[in-house]
């Protein structure tokens, strides 16, 4: 596992997520403001959109936590090893998800 490469990818992912959060937080505010003036149907649409935006925001927050955890594991020299069984996490898996903390066997995929 190339740690520098993984660190770069985690940093890039973090920046990307923070950008998306910034963009969508103004979107969420707009939805709230519009609710007074729109009809019932579009209000439901707006609420659905808001719920979706909130779910996405939660996902992003969870990913940021995982990224920070990955950085912590790197600092401890334990990045790339399964937190359950201690086996090395295959590189292919870390390529797909650089925040993975469990091997395929322990995570089930
Ligand atoms: Zn494992």
């Amino acid at each position: 596992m190339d740690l520098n490469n993984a660190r770069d990818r985690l940093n890039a992912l973090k920046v990307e997520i923070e950008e998306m959060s910034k963009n969508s937080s103004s979107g969420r505010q707009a939805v709230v403001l519009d609710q007074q003036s729109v009809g019932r149907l579009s209000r439901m649409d707006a609420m659905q959109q808001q719920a979706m935006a909130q779910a996405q925001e939660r996902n992003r927050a969870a990913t940021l936590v995982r990224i920070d955890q990955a950085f912590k594991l790197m600092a401890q020299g334990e990045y790339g090893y399964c937190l359950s069984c201690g086996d090395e996490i295959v590189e292919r898996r870390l390529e797909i998800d650089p925040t993975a903390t469990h091997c395929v066997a322990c995570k089930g995929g």
Side-chain angles (χ1 to χ4, degrees):
M1 187 64 216
D2 184 343
L3 274 188
N4 284 328
N5 182 29
R7 190 177 288 121
D8 284 351
R9 292 181 56 220
L10 286 164
N11 271 320
L13 190 61
K14 190 169 179 172
V15 167
E16 195 180 309
I17 288 169
E18 283 167 352
E19 267 316 294
M20 282 193 294
S21 285
K22 233 184 285 167
N23 292 340
S24 82
S25 69
S26 53
R28 282 201 304 280
Q29 273 168 5
V31 167
V32 173
L33 291 176
D34 281 350
Q35 278 191 17
Q36 303 298 326
S37 55
V38 295
R40 185 166 170 271
L41 250 186
S42 48
R43 172 134 82 221
M44 282 170 65
D45 277 350
M47 283 167 70
Q48 257 168 14
Q49 275 171 19
Q50 192 179 30
M52 220 161 66
Q54 283 168 347
Q56 283 169 349
E57 187 58 33
R58 275 195 298 274
N59 282 341
R60 281 195 287 266
T63 305
L64 284 177
V65 168
R66 285 157 60 88
I67 291 170
D68 282 343
Q69 188 181 21
F71 283 137
K72 241 174 261 172
L73 289 171
M74 272 180 195
Q76 295 164 359
E78 285 170 21
Y79 178 77
Y81 296 95
C82 174
L83 290 181
S84 290
C85 70
D87 271 3
E88 229 175 297
I89 301 171
V90 290
E91 203 161 327
R92 175 103 184 89
R93 179 166 168 72
L94 289 169
E95 271 169 22
I96 295 166
D97 178 10
T99 68
T101 51
H102 290 81
C103 72
V104 176
C106 292
K107 194 80 171 189

